[in-house]
Amino acid sequence: RHSDLFHVLCVSQHDQQMLEKGFSLSSQRVSRLINAIETDVFQPGAGKKSRVLSFMPRKNSRDAAIVTALLRSQPWFAGWSLEPIQGLPQADVAKRLQRSLGFLAFGHPEGFGLPLAEAAACGCALIGYSGLGGRELLAMARSQGVGWQIDYGDWQGFLNATEVLIRAVEERPKTVVSQLQALSDQVRQHYSWAAMVKSVEQALPRWESQLPT
């Protein structure tokens, strides 16, 4: 609320709400920019999905290690595999996500949740922590029937959601494939380059109008 502060830019719905409601900033002093993903890279692959769940162990590696160990010990997880994504070039990250049926998210906190967005764009079901900034992405996945937001530290929640996903793949695979495609389409449209440019074009006049003359 300092007089030097004229306008704030943020990149997630959570941060926008926090700034406007928690910090009581006028909605005219806050603009949300769409955080675009590279939709020409992160898109569904041409090949068939494998029974693979990918995850990034870099953030909250302890939770990642515990949850993946617990998953491997479940009888209903037989026939599935877990693949960590770390130290890979961007193109290889996209290929890994394109052949994965699901993505386990352990990042917390997250300013936006870019790994969630890129995984969804590649047609992965989403299971995991929102990191707050990723709530909107998990909400999209949930609306398509392939998203489960897990409370931070709830390891059993990961197991429950993963079992639900696996049962769905076994019982109605065509439906799951259709749901994953719908999620990819929604995410790739909402977080496109064009959407980002439009959000910047809308934010700049509001920002400039509040600067001192």
Side-chain angles (χ1 to χ4, degrees):
R1 300 176 188 174
H2 194 278
S3 59
D4 286 349
L5 181 64
F6 294 100
H7 204 85
V8 182
L9 304 176
C10 61
V11 294
S12 73
Q13 290 177 357
H14 172 269
D15 286 358
Q16 184 177 15
Q17 292 173 1
M18 184 67 189
L19 289 162
E20 292 179 1
K21 297 180 179 179
F23 288 93
S24 301
L25 290 176
S26 164
S27 60
Q28 294 302 311
R29 297 176 65 195
V30 180
S31 293
R32 182 200 170 196
L33 305 184
I34 296 296
N35 202 355
I37 59 176
E38 295 179 78
T39 54
D40 57 333
V41 176
F42 295 98
Q43 58 184 319
K48 186 178 179 181
K49 290 278 190 179
S50 301
R51 296 195 169 195
V52 171
L53 300 180
S54 294
F55 66 101
M56 295 181 177
R58 182 172 60 85
K59 290 188 177 181
N60 294 312
S61 57
R62 177 173 174 268
D63 284 32
I66 291 171
V67 169
T68 53
L70 288 170
L71 283 171
R72 291 187 179 101
S73 72
Q74 306 303 311
W76 46 260
F77 197 72
W80 286 71
S81 62
L82 294 157
E83 294 189 359
I85 298 177
Q86 56 184 347
L88 296 177
Q90 185 188 53
D92 290 341
V93 171
K95 290 178 182 177
R96 180 72 56 84
L97 292 171
Q98 286 168 349
R99 70 184 187 87
S100 299
L101 269 163
F103 178 75
L104 305 178
F106 296 100
H108 182 89
E110 294 282 1
F112 164 64
L114 187 61
L116 285 165
E118 292 175 344
C122 289
C124 293
L126 303 181
I127 299 172
Y129 303 152
S130 72
L132 302 179
R135 280 179 178 171
E136 60 198 75
L137 290 153
L138 282 160
M140 285 184 185
R142 185 170 59 252
S143 71
Q144 300 293 351
V146 285
W148 295 266
Q149 181 174 318
I150 309 301
D151 292 337
Y152 184 64
D154 183 6
W155 304 330
Q156 183 62 43
F158 276 95
L159 303 186
N160 295 341
T162 302
E163 185 175 10
V164 171
L165 172 62
I166 288 176
R167 299 298 183 210
V169 171
E170 292 173 347
E171 296 169 5
R172 47 185 191 282
K174 291 184 179 179
T175 298
V176 173
V177 169
S178 177
Q179 291 170 316
L180 294 177
Q181 182 62 59
L183 174 61
S184 173
D185 292 343
Q186 183 180 8
V187 168
R188 295 177 70 250
Q189 180 178 5
H190 191 84
Y191 301 100
S192 66
W193 178 267
M196 182 182 72
V197 170
K198 183 178 179 180
S199 71
V200 173
E201 290 175 341
Q202 292 174 338
L204 281 176
R206 301 172 76 234
W207 179 8
E208 292 170 346
S209 68
Q210 293 161 21
L211 294 177
T213 56

